[in-house]
């Protein structure tokens, strides 16, 4: 059975991102997959990588559990808002503290690129935004997607990484949101 992990990066538990996470879980529950979840806002950890990579900080128990879930997962779904063409600070801190050498990648002496320790996993990004998709793609060149998809996930071996971009959220109607919740349920159902 496939292990599916949903990671929600929105700090507000009442956000549309939480409804999207629940919709995806609802879809996955219609399959033979096993689903688990991490809501980053519920974790207790220091999001600041205090010493950079010079010295390893001790991992808090919530991060140890999160890393175990990431390693166990076959498919990881990240649900988060795009703010200022990036992702929330808390999500960035979570990534800084968990995507570490010897955990998600292993530097190789004399080589420019590391050994990718998360090979064999796939991912989906479900991103909410207020920026229209065309503007994010044509004018801004999709910095959030490029950074996270290529600079983090693929760097550690996760591939393929598919993206679902939902915009504009700020003044969206309940009909718009309901349509997207139904689409996300179908995405969850398509996990095989």
């Amino acid at each position: 059975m496939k292990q599916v992990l949903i990671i929600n990066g929105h700090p507000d538990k009442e956000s549309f991102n939480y409804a999207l996470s629940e919709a995806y879980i609802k879809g996955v529950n219609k399959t033979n997959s096993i689903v688990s979840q991490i809501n980053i806002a519920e974790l207790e950890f220091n999001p600041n990588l205090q010493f950079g990579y010079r010295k390893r900080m001790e991992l808090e128990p919530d991060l140890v559990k999160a890393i175990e879930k990431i390693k166990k997962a076959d498919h990881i779904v990240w649900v988060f808002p795009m703010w200022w063409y990036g992702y929330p600070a808390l999500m960035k801190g979570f990534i800084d503290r968990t995507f570490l050498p010897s955990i998600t990648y292993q530097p190789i002496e004399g080589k420019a690129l590391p050994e990718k320790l998360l090979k064999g996993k796939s991912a989906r990004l479900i991103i909410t935004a207020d920026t229209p998709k065309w503007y994010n793609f044509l004018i801004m060149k999709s910095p959030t997607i490029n950074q996270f998809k290529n600079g983090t996930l693929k760097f550690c071996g996760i591939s393929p990484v598919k993206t679902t971009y939902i915009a504009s959220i700020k003044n969206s109607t309940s009909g718009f949101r309901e349509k997207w919740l139904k689409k996300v349920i179908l995405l969850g159902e398509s996990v095989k």
Side-chain angles (χ1 to χ4, degrees), residues 65 101 121 131 137 157 171 176 186-187:
K65 290 176 194 167
K121 300 178 187 303
T131 302
F137 180 75
N171 296 314
F176 174 88
L186 293 175
L187 289 174

Side-chain angles (χ1 to χ4, degrees), residues 68-139:
E68 288 170 3
K69 287 181 177 182
I70 289 168
K71 287 183 174 183
K72 190 176 181 181
D74 300 304
H75 183 65
I76 305 172
V77 180
W78 296 81
V79 183
F80 61 93
M82 183 178 77
W83 291 340
W84 294 107
Y85 299 98
Y87 34 82
L90 191 60
M91 182 172 151
K92 175 70 165 85
F94 175 80
I95 294 163
D96 285 351
R97 293 291 316 285
T98 58
F99 278 62
L100 295 167
S102 78
I103 294 175
T104 59
Y105 69 94
Q106 183 62 52
I108 302 169
E109 193 171 329
K111 302 259 183 171
L113 296 176
E115 178 184 355
K116 300 173 181 200
L117 300 181
L118 298 181
K119 280 185 177 177
K121 300 178 187 303
S122 59
R124 175 168 298 276
L125 311 181
I126 300 176
I127 302 170
T128 58
D130 290 329
T131 302
K133 188 174 183 176
W134 66 266
Y135 188 87
N136 184 52
F137 180 75
L138 292 174
I139 308 299

Side-chain angles (χ1 to χ4, degrees), residues 167-187:
S168 174
I169 296 298
K170 188 176 182 181
N171 296 314
S172 63
T173 64
S174 58
F176 174 88
R177 290 178 182 222
E178 195 58 42
K179 178 186 86 167
W180 273 106
L181 290 172
K182 288 177 182 171
K183 286 183 178 183
V184 170
I185 289 171
L186 293 175
L187 289 174

Side-chain angles (χ1 to χ4, degrees), residues 8-13 18 38-45 90-91 94:
N8 193 314
H10 201 299
D12 182 1
K13 295 174 189 173
Y18 275 75
I38 296 171
N39 294 318
I40 297 173
E42 295 173 2
L43 305 181
E44 290 186 29
F45 70 101
L90 191 60
M91 182 172 151
F94 175 80

